[in-house]
Amino acid sequence: MIRTVSTTPYQDQKPGTSGLRKKVPVFQQPNYVENFVQSIFDSLEGYHGKTLVLGGDGRYYNREAIQVIIRMAAANGFGKLMIGQGGILSTPATSNMIRKYKAFGGIILSASHNAGGPHEDFGIKYNSENGGPAPEKITDRIFEISKKISQYKIADVGPVDLDKLGTTMAGDMTVEVFDPVKDYAELMESLFDFDAISAMIKGGFRMQFDAMHAVTGPYAKEILEKRLGAPDGTARNYHPLEDFGGHHPDPNLVHAKALYDDVMSPSGPDFGAASDGDGDRNMVVGKGIFITPSDSLAIIAANATLAKGYKKGIAGVARSMPTSGAADRVAQKLGVGFYETPTGWKFFGNLLDAGKVTLCGEESFGTGSNHVREKDGLWAVLFWLNIIAARGESAKQIVEKHWAEYGRNYYSRHDYEEVESDRANALVAELRGKLASLPGTSVRGMKIAAADDFAYHDPVDGSISEHQGIRVMFEGGSRVVFRLSGTGTSGATLRVYIERYEPDKTRHDLDTQEALADLIAAADDIAGIRSHTGRDKPSVIT
Ligand code: VG1
Ligand code: CO
């Protein structure tokens, strides 16, 4: 029944910012999935007889990979596998299931915001028993094992019907196919004031949620329409599709432009939101205002006690290094701790587990809290609805009042996608080489106060993560950050993050790109973006 199969290792199974992501044909190579999954299991100890949670964002190859993992989990001695019906389980819902049912861990099949389909992306990520993405010490171990692996274990058990709820056996292992929405919806009801949000919707508040043909469709239908009473049609593109309808399920001003345009039109709804492939990202748009993820984190922090799950206040706030400093000022005012971590949710886990922070956020449309150990798209949307309902003000009023009180961080990210890796690496190497000489010099009339290659010292376990992005800080608090993406699957993506703090209330209504124009030009002067990449403008501006 259980077979041990010989295999040859691949040398490219290094997990990136969030798991292993490759093109589907790469995953379809002989034993590619098997090698990586066995490497995950071999990096762990003590899972015999324990429970593993499994699901994905419904993209192409999801079902095939699930059947392989069922057979391998059975062969490796897991006691129980819990799978979301249809193979569907959002990333935050997976985190919740692991925590709620005290599972040993979970496997998430997703390449998140990347496109899906036979020639697009697939991904595999392991989450630990706290519900969060495996920390670097585990992902490093997985990679080391994957480079040397010589065999894997697999059980000869038939395919499991993923669409039928209930429990079956795969060899000696129990397989439970469960409703992926129910536990998550209950968790949301425990955190937010559903009665107040429903009353606001009954009172005529209109919203639109774009699930982008990805995993949050069923969640939005249940929570927004069924439980909160929003009219049918509030959730759009709610059928998860294997290719996301041919789009990038990436909720930003480029890929969720249709939703943004609707909210901005005179007859549009009061509020719009969207989530990504696996449901952990969020974009929120109020009538007449796009809310940057960095501002969203700060405003949620400032208003947290309006939601019942956060009534007692927050312990602290953490943000990824490239995220704007807007949340820092809220934390300072509240007198709670604030932390700056490298990009990637795995770095928040220790801070959350240690109770040092309650809220976390990333500029890449990621916001979350200690309710799970992942960022959570619908959670952020519900938090905004809760705040709007409790304050009785529009999203625009809330944001503008926030800026008036704390100042505004103008913020933008410029991505140069699919740059030749050699050219991108050369840019970074050259920049690193001149870091020491930058402080004290001026660019475009702005004086550089400091420049470094960000390193993070985890205050909980003492681990150190180096080379997490190059920061150039100007006098007055403006800054430019450069880093290479760890989630792309072809060539390199250079991300340039630009930020300027504006305390003056009378200057809070400028166009973001204009407000940042000097810094954008300075970034090119400092890093030679155009000459290195051969591009004269970014592929995506958010
Ligand atoms: C990007 C974002 C990062 C996020 C990661 C995973 O990583 O910048 O903030 O945590 O995606 O998000 P990178 O290395 O490409 O910059 V998700 O929603 O794609 O799992
Ligand atoms: Co995602």
Side-chain angles (χ1 to χ4, degrees), residues 21 112-113 276-281 375:
R21 292 186 191 176
S112 189
H113 56 289
D276 71 331
D278 61 331
D280 56 359
R281 295 187 178 205
K375 56 189 187 271

Side-chain angles (χ1 to χ4, degrees), residues 453-533:
D453 192 353
F454 181 62
Y456 178 59
H457 296 245
D458 187 309
V460 179
D461 68 12
S463 62
I464 296 175
S465 302
E466 291 178 304
H467 307 302
Q468 298 295 327
I470 291 168
R471 307 189 284 186
V472 179
M473 275 94 65
F474 296 89
E475 280 182 355
S478 296
R479 62 174 193 161
V480 183
V481 174
F482 304 86
R483 61 178 281 282
L484 298 182
S485 158
T487 59
T489 57
S490 44
T493 293
L494 171 70
R495 303 202 195 285
V496 185
Y497 311 80
I498 308 125
E499 175 179 2
R500 179 163 85 80
Y501 178 60
E502 178 55 74
D504 181 355
K505 251 205 274 233
T506 64
R507 299 179 53 78
H508 285 169
D509 56 357
L510 308 177
D511 172 78
T512 298
Q513 300 304 316
E514 280 166 28
L516 298 174
D518 281 356
L519 285 160
I520 292 167
D524 192 38
D525 290 352
I526 295 167
I529 301 170
R530 289 171 196 232
S531 57
H532 277 291
T533 63

Side-chain angles (χ1 to χ4, degrees), residues 146-164:
S146 75
K147 286 189 287 190
K148 293 185 223 116
I149 189 164
S150 61
Q151 56 184 43
Y152 63 84
K153 283 196 205 136
I154 193 150
D156 288 321
V157 290
V160 170
D161 183 349
L162 299 179
D163 298 305
K164 201 168 138 219

